[in-house]
Amino acid sequence: MRPIDRLLDLMATLRHPERGCSWDLQQTFSSIAPHTIEEAYEVADAIQQNDLVALKDELGDLLFQVVFHAQMAQDQGAFDFDAVVEAIITKMIRRHPHIFADAPPRSPEAQTAAWEDGKAAERVTKGCASTLDGVARTLPPMTRAIKLQNRAAGVGFDWNGPEEVFAKINEELDELRYEVSILASQDRIEDEFGDVLFACVNLARKLKINPEQALGRANGKFERRFRHVEARLADLGRHPRDASLEEMEEFWVDAKRLEGKA
């Protein structure tokens, strides 16, 4: 048997009404969804770490999630794994006419534009009324902001350039600063803070920067520098909680110097 057939049989056994696993039988699409998202993030982490051994394992875990969902759908008589495979094959052929039909060759940029046009046409076919329909609400908020902004930009609702977005960020910061100064409700402050973040995502988009990746780099930078602070204090037999802010700032500057950032 092919490995995929063995995996499908394994999943069917786990979900068998009489011989199956009680935990697997208890699961639903909703209860499994968080695990699916977690496995996708673990795939991304393995890629970021350039760990191909881990990537193999994590891709297997993610594939298992797909098989799990397909089995639950089959149990309900909705669709099976083969239908999932046929659907994606059909979609990929449709979205690559320059490979599988008579369309002329495309550059990567042209293919990206055509891909988005194809998705837009599919949304119309599905009866979507808004340009923003189909942007999953379960996406991480920053990723969803990018997609919403790109959709709006695709129909001409966009800033002309980064300078206009810088002005918008300053405007949103002023509004946030005002709400804080008048001791506004936490809800109002959160609302204005969200506007600042949304504007920053817009700036990242205009600068052709992935804001998730940029924030990830900032997280890594902070972690490296703070670990340096901890290590320097440990050399002195001390812990950060026992140090003054001035002392920690001194070691922080030292970490930046070592990185060539001083």
Side-chain angles (χ1 to χ4, degrees), residues 94-169:
R94 183 173 65 249
R95 291 186 180 176
H96 292 82
H98 58 302
I99 302 297
F100 301 106
D102 298 326
R106 293 172 176 167
S107 67
E109 294 76 18
Q111 173 60 10
T112 298
W115 183 276
E116 292 302 324
D117 290 343
K119 290 173 66 176
E122 289 169 8
R123 289 195 294 273
V124 172
T125 301
K126 293 178 181 177
C128 296
S130 170
T131 300
L132 305 180
D133 284 349
V135 180
R137 296 183 181 277
T138 52
L139 285 169
M142 189 173 289
T143 298
R144 189 163 191 265
I146 299 170
K147 289 186 174 293
L148 291 171
Q149 292 170 7
N150 280 333
R151 288 281 187 88
V155 295
F157 190 73
D158 197 11
W159 304 103
N160 291 318
E163 286 304 322
E164 293 184 359
V165 190
F166 276 119
K168 182 62 176 176
I169 291 174

Side-chain angles (χ1 to χ4, degrees), residues 53 70 89 126 156 242:
V53 174
I89 289 173
K126 293 178 181 177
D242 305 317

Side-chain angles (χ1 to χ4, degrees), residues 11-28 31-32 68 71-72 75:
M11 189 70 252
T13 300
L14 292 175
R15 290 277 299 180
H16 191 280
E18 298 171 357
R19 304 191 307 274
C21 169
S22 59
W23 185 90
D24 291 276
L25 285 167
Q26 192 178 52
Q27 302 313 305
T28 65
S31 68
I32 289 297
F68 206 141
Q71 182 63 50
M72 289 188 291
D75 293 343

Side-chain angles (χ1 to χ4, degrees), residues 30-100:
S30 295
S31 68
I32 289 297
H35 299 285
T36 308
I37 294 169
E38 180 180 347
E39 296 299 350
Y41 275 118
E42 291 180 0
V43 167
D45 186 64
I47 292 171
Q48 187 175 41
Q49 300 299 323
N50 195 29
D51 188 339
L52 295 184
V53 174
L55 179 59
K56 178 193 68 174
D57 290 341
E58 298 302 345
L59 285 172
D61 290 343
L62 186 58
L63 176 60
F64 184 75
Q65 293 295 309
V66 175
V67 169
F68 206 141
H69 285 286
Q71 182 63 50
M72 289 188 291
Q74 183 175 334
D75 293 343
Q76 296 180 16
F79 58 82
D80 61 9
F81 182 77
D82 285 349
V84 173
V85 175
E86 287 296 336
I88 190 60
I89 289 173
T90 300
K91 182 186 293 184
M92 289 303 104
I93 291 174
R94 183 173 65 249
R95 291 186 180 176
H96 292 82
H98 58 302
I99 302 297
F100 301 106

